[in-house]
Amino acid sequence: MIRKLPVALAALLSACVSHQGYPTSPRATPVTALDVTVVSNVTYTPGNWPQPLGADLYIPMGDGPFPAVITIHGGGWQSRSREDMESISRAVAKRGYVVMNVSYRLAPQWNFPAQLHDIQQAVVWLRANATARNVRADRIGIWGYSAGAHLAALVGVTGPGDKQFIDGARVQAVVAGGTPVDLRDYKEGPLTNGLMGVPYDRNPELWREASPIALVTRDDPPMFLYHGTLDFTVDVKNARAMYMVLNGAEVSAELYLFHGLEHFSTFYLSPIDSGVDRARSSIATLLGF
């Protein structure tokens, strides 16, 4: 009975979702689950970085090279750890991706843009070590939830014309769940103010630089957004607004809504096989992975 629960749950969720931006091209063919090797506590920051940061690598067994996905945990930018993304990281790796599950500097000890720079550095490191880690350097995606999704989306939309852009840190796909897309909507929030370290009215431009929705341009990578419709922590209007702005900029985007789920249930229920494959198949189709 217990072994049948994930199947039943998958069927339930499949019946309680809506999906916009579904590609009309043929879906990617599901792959056979691969064995995965885990390399723990790899330091991805250079010696002069303000704080050493680690990552766990999930490497599928096979010839490769494989596309890669960087995973980013949530926690209001102030707490939690990369352990939260272990199940997603392993599930994605089994489907033929090298996964880099990262830690980053936490607020309020470290303020924005420290967190963005950390994740950008992870992209740079993975690309520089692509040959050694059996990675396709031209096929790197990023996946986060909640605060991690904010950082994933922000890395995705921060381009050459933006102040915080770092050469070599562009990704080719973004998966973002429960994403706060405009920090300016949370000017009084303790978590956002802890992240920013300065009130909005004293530095509105910095708050704009930290808001993914404000930085969208036509050259941004495809983005798969998922969200619970009863999310009272990060309102679902965030995902809907981001999807509209991406469409307006002619960026390939999908919006996948879990009806009746809130912030935490969306995180804990969506990584089951059907949810992972839905995102994997969408990104694979968009990028030709």
Side-chain angles (χ1 to χ4, degrees):
M1 179 66 180
I2 293 177
R3 295 180 63 184
K4 294 181 180 178
L5 182 59
V7 177
L9 190 56
L12 177 63
L13 289 179
S14 295
C16 301
V17 300
S18 58
H19 194 173
Q20 295 176 256
Y22 196 79
T24 56
S25 56
R27 308 300 295 173
T29 303
V31 299
T32 302
L34 302 175
D35 291 332
V36 174
T37 298
V38 181
V39 182
S40 301
N41 298 316
V42 175
T43 300
Y44 71 84
T45 48
N48 62 350
W49 209 252
Q51 176 181 314
L53 296 169
D56 300 324
L57 298 175
Y58 296 75
I59 304 173
M61 303 295 289
D63 294 335
F66 298 102
V69 176
I70 293 171
T71 52
I72 316 170
H73 70 86
W77 305 281
Q78 296 189 8
S79 63
R80 310 299 301 176
S81 73
R82 65 181 188 264
E83 291 181 2
D84 289 350
M85 298 298 286
E86 282 183 1
S87 62
I88 289 178
S89 298
R90 188 176 294 275
V92 172
K94 286 181 177 180
R95 286 152 177 78
Y97 297 82
V98 173
V99 179
M100 182 179 179
N101 184 14
V102 301
S103 297
Y104 55 91
R105 284 176 285 174
L106 299 177
Q109 180 181 359
W110 298 97
N111 300 126
F112 180 85
Q115 296 76 16
L116 171 61
H117 290 169
D118 292 343
I119 307 303
Q120 289 172 321
Q121 175 58 34
V123 179
V124 170
W125 182 92
L126 187 57
R127 188 159 276 134
N129 290 273
T131 300
R133 301 300 181 178
N134 210 14
V135 167
R136 284 193 60 178
D138 63 336
R139 288 290 184 269
I140 296 177
I142 194 164
W143 185 326
Y145 192 80
S146 193
H150 163 261
L151 295 174
L154 197 57
V155 169
V157 300
T158 299
D162 298 314
K163 180 179 178 181
Q164 303 300 338
F165 175 71
I166 293 177
D167 191 40
R170 294 233 82 175
V171 295
Q172 283 68 59
V174 176
V175 178
T179 318
V181 300
D182 195 339
L183 300 197
R184 298 167 297 182
D185 289 340
Y186 304 94
K187 298 183 183 72
E188 307 302 323
L191 294 178
T192 48
N193 277 275
L195 172 68
M196 299 307 297
V198 59
Y200 171 79
D201 57 4
R202 286 180 50 194
N203 197 339
E205 179 59 22
L206 186 67
W207 283 66
R208 188 192 74 85
E209 293 168 6
S211 299
I213 201 168
L215 304 180
V216 173
T217 54
R218 182 176 292 187
D219 62 342
D220 290 337
M223 192 172 297
F224 182 96
L225 301 160
Y226 65 102
H227 216 108
T229 59
L230 294 184
D231 191 334
F232 301 113
T233 303
V234 180
D235 196 284
V236 68
K237 69 180 182 181
N238 283 267
R240 289 177 170 139
M242 190 69 174
Y243 178 69
M244 293 297 293
V245 170
L246 289 166
N247 271 278
E250 299 181 353
V251 176
S252 295
E254 293 185 57
L255 175 61
Y256 196 77
L257 299 180
F258 291 88
H259 294 280
L261 296 187
E262 45 74 66
H263 195 70
F264 299 102
S265 56
T266 297
F267 175 71
Y268 286 111
L269 296 182
S270 60
I272 62 175
D273 285 353
S274 65
V276 169
D277 273 336
R278 188 81 64 176
R280 184 201 70 82
S281 183
S282 296
I283 296 303
T285 300
L286 289 168
L287 298 183
F289 273 5

